[in-house]
Amino acid sequence: MTRTLDRPGAEVPTPAGQDPPQRRRRRDRTALIPYFLILPALSLLAVVLLWPIVQMVWMSLTDYGLRQLRGEPAEWNNFAHYVSILTDDRFWTIFRNTIVVCLLMVAITMVLGTLVGILMNRLPTWLSTTVGIALMLAWATPVISAAIVHRWLFDARYGLVNATLARLPDWLVGSGWESFNWFNSPGPLFSVLILTVVWQSFPFVAVSVLAGLKSIPGELYEAARVDGAGAWRSFWNVTFPMLRPLFALLLILQIIWDFRIFTQLNILAGGFTNRDVFLLPYYSYQLGFYSTPPNYGLGSAIAVVMTVLVLAITAYYLRVMIRQGETR
Amino acid sequence: MRHRLLKKAGRVGDYLAAAAIMLFALFPVYWVLTTALKPNGEIFTRDPTLFPRELTLEHYKRVLSGVLIPETSFWSFLTNSLLVTLGSVAIAAVFSLLAAVAVARFRFRLRTAFIVLLLVIQMVPIEALIISIFVNFHHLGTATSLPLTGSLLGVLVVYTTVALPITILMMRSFVAAVPRELEEAAAIDGATRWTVFWRILMPLVAPGLVATSIFAFITAWNEFVVAFTFLQSNTTSFTLPISLKYYFGRVTVEWGSIMAASTLLTIPVMVFFLFVQRRMVSGLTMGAVKG
């Protein structure tokens, strides 16, 4: 391993043609070692993720259905899927809902997580640790369990939420909660969905912000206080600028994660029958696996739209990471 | 004087806020645990009790004895989950260690391209790729007569691959943290590459390897979409997360049993989480992006 060259000039260059043939062969083999080392990982990535990306684009441009799954050749269809998506009101409704729901999840998660991080930083250690453990339990709950317990809390007949709302005075919460169904229409369902997702994702933001806050020197806050800055100003003038890279990263991560929501929606919506409450990943999935006949082509077209959106959102972040030397 | 009073009020406010946050974070967890322990009479009622009046292990018994899904049992779901999870973690650990050594210790022509590929590919949501992965595996399975769809094998392969970008990037930072001088010194003493690898590098990156593996374990253990897509045709191949979905799909939802099963699914994650919680934050914010 010492022969590998991280530092330029670490190896004395041998004049060409003077290498004994045996040594040269050995060095050639050495040059291949890293390729052998990445080969297993690279071949899996190529077969399982890279090729499907190519295939997804191809399928989105053809009438890919059950016949093609059985081996019949797929035929180019002149962007028919894209045309039908772009002219379909349902697609645009789902598209808009996806953006709105995702933005709400991200915004609430970021604000709540940051506030909790700041709070934890002010608390005495024992209490901050206790809060940390509580957060960890929410964070570590499997997504499917989180979805199911929220489905149960909001159950129409036996759910705790409806029972509580029904017991509260009508002037406060209105009436008619006894059998209110949260899972039929977009508004209530998306509210529960946002709650479920935020519940699980704010702990990560809180813990990350807490770690970030601990790295800011206290003198900066002292200086701000001397200058007469209150909590609000010292957040915007000290904390935020110091943690800007962290916030940017957390924001990107939350957008990516919340954009892909599937499991929670599957549990809350209880299947694929109610198209009013679909989000993009869910719509794509339904077209591929739950429509008769399966429409892999159209499902793929929506998947392509999703992928392009995600990559567009992350492009900036990727560029920063690559420039900052993640690749070095 | 006034200042001190304000400070005191601020502290009380902090404590109240902390209590509210804990309540918010813990309540659903508490509701899972208590529902699992309540008898059905207390579960199916229009005014639920905050504290169970009577505790029962009935739901756990029903789940563990496989009354809910005929012909199978919790134990077979557990075995399936362990198989795919541990299998994919083991393969991902070996593959990513190799690749991490390549990236951290060698300069080679495709190195940057490889890292950029890892960074980009982990951004692509698996939910977008699931249709084409399924179709791809269907064709591959037909060509090779391997049971890639409808069996645990395909799920294992997908879990392994999906874990790779993040595990390689995490492992890379652990390998890079080992001082090169140690390896150089050993090489000067006449150690072969293999000896250097096993005797010097391995012991030093072992903790990192464990942390990375736990990370991959949690992800695979909780995974739903891929298992749901590949395995739903036969109940004997179910993993734990999709078995929960199955309990759920019944005409009358057995909330108590679902909550009991949910607890059993959660316990291993909680235990592992304790070990890697801190690394989880640094791992996730390091540039390793997939959750």
Side-chain angles (χ1 to χ4, degrees):
Chain A
M1 239 160 259
T2 48
R3 288 180 54 83
T4 57
L5 315 166
D6 238 60
R7 279 156 267 177
E11 194 188 45
V12 185
T14 22
Q18 285 191 4
D19 265 3
Q22 212 182 353
R23 260 202 73 191
R24 169 179 284 176
R25 205 180 305 137
R26 223 187 111 189
R27 218 182 56 200
D28 286 346
R29 241 181 7 205
T30 308
L32 285 179
I33 287 179
Y35 293 101
F36 283 123
L37 292 177
I38 63 168
L39 188 66
L42 191 59
S43 29
L44 268 186
L45 288 168
V47 175
V48 181
L49 296 177
L50 280 180
W51 176 246
I53 293 179
V54 177
Q55 192 163 9
M56 167 176 75
V57 177
W58 167 242
M59 287 196 299
S60 77
L61 297 166
T62 61
D63 285 318
Y64 213 100
L66 270 185
R67 284 188 182 170
Q68 284 66 31
L69 195 65
R70 288 196 207 102
E72 276 182 39
E75 271 178 41
W76 175 267
N77 69 4
N78 264 327
F79 302 100
H81 293 315
Y82 291 96
V83 172
S84 85
I85 290 176
L86 297 175
T87 54
D88 180 9
D89 286 344
R90 168 170 288 139
F91 171 80
W92 286 112
T93 310
I94 294 173
F95 184 87
R96 195 200 57 211
N97 287 349
T98 309
I99 303 286
V100 172
V101 168
C102 180
L103 281 181
L104 280 170
M105 285 172 183
V106 171
I108 301 173
T109 304
M110 289 298 291
V111 172
L112 182 64
T114 306
L115 288 175
V116 173
I118 292 173
L119 174 72
M120 284 170 82
N121 197 36
R122 289 160 51 124
L123 293 173
T125 317
W126 67 271
L127 189 54
S128 160
T129 312
T130 318
V131 174
I133 291 171
L135 295 186
M136 211 190 68
L137 290 176
W139 181 13
T141 301
V143 171
I144 178 96
S145 308
I148 287 178
V149 68
H150 283 89
R151 175 74 181 66
W152 169 225
L153 280 164
F154 286 83
D155 186 70
R157 283 171 68 84
Y158 307 116
L160 180 70
V161 173
N162 279 359
T164 311
L165 286 171
R167 232 176 273 171
L168 288 172
D170 283 357
W171 59 264
L172 190 64
V173 294
S175 60
W177 292 107
E178 284 78 9
S179 295
F180 183 73
N181 189 332
W182 290 84
F183 306 105
N184 265 354
S185 48
L189 188 136
F190 288 145
S191 308
V192 181
L193 181 70
I194 291 170
L195 174 71
T196 311
V197 172
V198 169
W199 178 73
Q200 276 211 291
S201 46
F202 87 93
F204 169 61
V205 175
V207 176
S208 304
V209 169
L210 177 66
L213 286 172
K214 289 205 169 133
S215 70
I216 300 178
E219 294 89 56
L220 289 178
Y221 289 104
E222 242 158 69
R225 200 163 49 228
V226 171
D227 291 346
W232 182 250
R233 293 245 342 247
S234 73
F235 176 81
W236 285 112
N237 291 336
V238 181
T239 314
F240 188 73
M242 291 293 288
L243 297 187
R244 193 193 299 269
L246 177 70
F247 281 124
L249 176 65
L250 291 175
L251 190 68
I252 295 280
L253 287 173
Q254 294 303 328
I255 294 174
I256 302 173
W257 289 338
D258 293 349
F259 195 72
R260 329 167 20 179
I261 294 299
F262 179 95
T263 312
Q264 295 94 324
L265 187 57
N266 185 263
I267 295 299
L268 296 181
F272 293 92
T273 42
N274 185 359
R275 286 198 182 187
D276 292 343
V277 300
F278 280 12
L279 297 177
L280 276 184
Y282 208 66
Y283 189 30
S284 159
Y285 193 94
Q286 184 259 330
L287 287 166
F289 297 111
Y290 279 83
S291 62
T292 34
N295 197 338
Y296 301 116
L298 190 55
S300 294
I302 293 171
V304 168
V305 173
M306 277 168 55
T307 310
V308 169
L309 267 174
V310 170
L311 288 181
I313 294 166
T314 51
Y316 170 76
Y317 161 73
L318 273 174
R319 228 183 56 203
V320 172
M321 282 224 306
I322 290 167
R323 210 190 290 146
Q324 274 175 357
E326 262 304 315
T327 57
R328 232 169 277 145
Chain B
M1 190 63 199
R2 213 178 131 222
H3 187 71
R4 205 182 292 163
L5 263 176
L6 264 177
K7 217 172 171 185
K8 211 170 212 175
R11 181 157 299 169
V12 171
D14 281 358
Y15 282 23
L16 285 177
I21 289 300
M22 281 201 281
L23 187 69
F24 177 60
L26 288 179
F27 191 78
V29 178
Y30 170 79
W31 207 237
V32 172
L33 293 175
T34 46
T35 305
L37 293 171
K38 283 178 182 174
N40 271 337
E42 269 188 71
I43 292 175
F44 296 98
T45 166
R46 288 208 166 231
D47 45 351
T49 44
L50 263 189
F51 306 99
R53 289 193 207 102
E54 195 187 321
L55 296 178
T56 172
L57 289 175
E58 181 62 22
H59 302 301
Y60 283 96
K61 269 186 215 146
R62 282 172 69 81
V63 168
L64 293 176
S65 63
V67 178
L68 285 159
I69 305 183
E71 317 276 315
T72 56
S73 71
F74 175 83
W75 304 108
S76 84
F77 304 144
L78 180 70
T79 315
N80 291 341
S81 263
L82 283 173
L83 265 176
V84 283
T85 308
L86 294 177
S88 70
V89 168
I91 303 171
V94 175
F95 285 14
S96 57
L97 180 63
L98 296 178
V101 169
V103 171
R105 284 294 193 252
F106 291 83
R107 295 267 136 184
F108 53 103
R109 198 169 287 175
L110 292 179
R111 186 175 166 279
T112 312
F114 182 60
I115 298 175
V116 172
L117 170 75
L118 296 178
L119 290 172
V120 174
I121 210 159
Q122 63 178 336
M123 302 291 179
V124 180
I126 193 83
E127 288 76 7
L129 283 185
I130 189 77
I131 292 180
S132 45
I133 292 176
F134 180 82
V135 171
N136 183 26
F137 273 30
H138 178 87
H139 290 314
L140 272 179
T142 318
T144 58
S145 61
L146 286 171
L148 284 176
T149 49
S151 82
L152 294 171
L153 178 65
V155 176
L156 188 148
V157 174
V158 177
Y159 287 179
T160 309
T161 315
V162 169
L164 280 175
I166 194 171
T167 51
I168 295 174
L169 290 172
M170 277 175 87
M171 279 313 300
R172 175 178 78 136
S173 68
F174 288 116
V175 174
V178 174
R180 200 180 296 257
E181 286 73 22
L182 284 178
E183 294 166 29
E184 280 166 7
I188 289 168
D189 290 347
T192 62
R193 271 172 196 285
W194 273 112
T195 321
V196 171
F197 181 78
W198 282 112
R199 292 282 173 78
I200 312 284
L201 194 64
M202 270 308 274
L204 288 168
V205 298
L209 197 59
V210 172
T212 311
S213 301
I214 295 181
F215 195 89
F217 179 94
I218 295 176
T219 320
W221 183 258
N222 289 346
E223 206 286 332
F224 181 80
V225 185
V226 175
F228 181 61
T229 311
F230 279 62
L231 302 175
Q232 57 181 315
S233 47
N234 83 34
T235 48
T236 49
S237 66
F238 277 7
T239 56
L240 279 176
I242 51 171
S243 77
L244 282 184
K245 165 78 182 169
Y246 192 93
Y247 292 139
F248 196 77
R250 298 157 62 85
V251 184
T252 48
V253 184
E254 303 232 17
W255 287 110
S257 303
I258 292 183
M259 294 303 155
S262 178
T263 315
L264 296 171
L265 170 71
T266 309
I267 290 167
V269 183
M270 295 282 178
V271 173
F272 276 149
F273 223 81
L274 283 172
F275 290 112
V276 285
Q277 186 222 31
R278 226 166 261 162
R279 278 196 209 280
M280 203 98 168
V281 175
S282 54
L284 282 166
T285 48
M286 196 178 59
V289 174
K290 211 156 219 168

